[in-house]
Amino acid sequence: MAGNLGMMDPEMLEGLFGEAGDSIVLTDAEERVLYINEAGLELLELQKLPPQKKFSDICRLVNVITGEPFPSPLAKAMRTNKACGLAQDIGVMRSDGSAYLSATCSPMSHSGRVTGCFIILRNITRLRVLERHMAEEERYMHAVFAVASVGLCILDKYGDIQEINARGLEIMQTTEREALGVQFGDAFCCENSLERGCGHSLACRHCPVRNNIEAAVYDENFKSEFNVLIHSARSKKKKIWLKILLSQAGFGSERRIVLSMVDESDRKTREHELEQMRMAAEEASRAKSRFLANMSHEIRTPMNGMSGMIELAMREPMSERQRECLNNARQCSRDLLAIINDILDFSKLDSGHVHIHIAGMDMYALIRRIRTIYGPLAESKGLKLIVPREQDLPHFIRSDSLRLRQILRNLLSNALKFTSEGSIEVSVKLKSHQSQPVIAFTVADTGIGMDKADLDKLFRPFTQVDMSATRNFAGTGLGLAICRGLVSAMGGDITVHSELGKGSAFTFWLPYIVADHSDEEQTGSEVFLSPWRRLGMEPGTAPVAPDTAAVSQVRREARQKAAELDVGQLLKYAQARLEQKKPEDR
């Protein structure tokens, strides 16, 4: 641009610089502003170009850090006839805060005489802030590097140590003077590197540290994590277990290999000790399980004999007082046998010896059994038993029917035990859990309930909510623990919702698999104890047999005895009574 800048066409200037992203300012030789584009007006917060104003009047430069004024660079540029810029941290004060600027002041001349200045201003506040943050981050990283609790070692692209922190020096048992500029094995004083140096001994080909460092040297994308047992010549008696993480940063000549070291020697020692303790504990647990299983069987044998003798004694003529005592003894033997069975089941669950047999089962039959067995028990306590309609359920599913009935038996028994008025409801619904179909069973009651503080105790073995000596409800505290173990073994989970005085609801879900038919045998329902069902009869009916006087009499007596005898004893009793009859009566 030659000649008098003040005579230049404003439209031409606007066409040249109006849409520029940087701020453009033109001045004459006296530093008066002749033109400023839209970006310049916005940067300097001007509405329009003030007339006859010098550049220093509309752009008051200051040191943003100290607030001290900074002289305009125009005078120097025009005096030396050379372009010049701004020092670092120079900017202007705006209404929204300080703004860092970069400036290029280029003098313009005509016929050897400086006629003005061409100025390019750029707001570099974000750049300066980023630079300051980067500097702070660098200082922070150096501080973290120095005090890190793991050993950090920075290698160059040839594998030589460039930096190492205090923890790294401690692990490698060396000094910074000995470590910098040498290979890792030499700094560590590895036994393999003593003779020919790290990487040159015949044993180095088997060294995982050396192999991984060489892989990183040849491949800039290589990363690894490994554990290694190191032998240092400085302490031959002590073996050092290291966990090493190897990564890389930077590219080309700036590429660095970052080697992180964690001394796991103490942890390995503790792990060995814990492993020995674990093995001893497992052996003790196995011995306990064997003891429980053996004792359960040993106790159950005389218990069965005792129950049989009580049953035989009750067949003899006796007084009402004697019958009452024998009835109490029989009930006690049954309770003790139930406790032994619970302990045996828990022992199997605890040792992982419970076998789950998945097969087709009849859901309709399951609901009928619940209604038949627990309906009268609920009515005897003045409770209402609510069960789902059979037609609302899938007919056949694949599950372990024996274990499913055992779970429901425990939950229903608890509901009956802890509910004195109201109802007990059994519901079965099809749901989805983690995108998989499940079948959810819920046993809800209107019993005493529990507060939130007691819910954590529910599934602990040998634990009840009320463990005091005066608690009103007896039991071993194994029922719910067994339920949780069986549900877990079948691939499901169990939860509880309860409020004190408002009842409880136990919900467990199992994988839902549709079956075409039932694989279970009709006689395999011993979990729900019903003498009539074990005989293949509905309650109140009799087996089909020739209608003789002997059979009719045995049938009547069997009905009376059914409530007292189990199935095996009932069959023996019927057979014995038939054998007592004379041939002519048969």
Side-chain angles (χ1 to χ4, degrees), residues 360-366 368 390-397 512 514-518:
M361 63 168 289
D362 190 340
M363 286 292 294
Y364 291 2
L366 176 69
R368 287 196 297 268
E390 296 170 6
Q391 56 268 33
D392 294 336
L393 304 176
H395 196 170
F396 301 109
I397 68 169
Y512 173 57
V514 180
D516 296 330
H517 61 279
S518 174

Side-chain angles (χ1 to χ4, degrees), residues 532 542-543 548-562 570-581 586:
W532 297 110
T548 64
V551 172
S552 298
Q553 183 178 351
V554 171
R555 184 188 304 127
R556 286 193 299 272
E557 294 180 2
R559 288 172 180 170
Q560 296 174 357
K561 293 290 184 179
L570 183 59
L571 291 174
K572 293 178 181 178
Y573 175 79
Q575 182 66 29
R577 294 292 293 120
L578 283 173
E579 292 175 353
Q580 292 174 3
K581 296 296 180 180
R586 298 182 184 177

Side-chain angles (χ1 to χ4, degrees), residues 185-186 190-212 214:
D186 297 328
C190 174
E191 290 181 328
N192 298 333
S193 66
L194 293 181
E195 184 178 350
R196 303 173 62 183
C198 182
H200 299 288
S201 171
L202 292 177
C204 290
R205 68 182 66 179
H206 306 296
C207 175
V209 180
R210 185 67 248 169
N211 291 338
N212 278 272
E214 288 181 351

Side-chain angles (χ1 to χ4, degrees), residues 528-541:
F528 288 136
L529 297 178
S530 173
W532 297 110
R533 288 234 175 252
R534 296 275 298 268
L535 287 171
M537 299 180 288
E538 293 292 337
T541 65

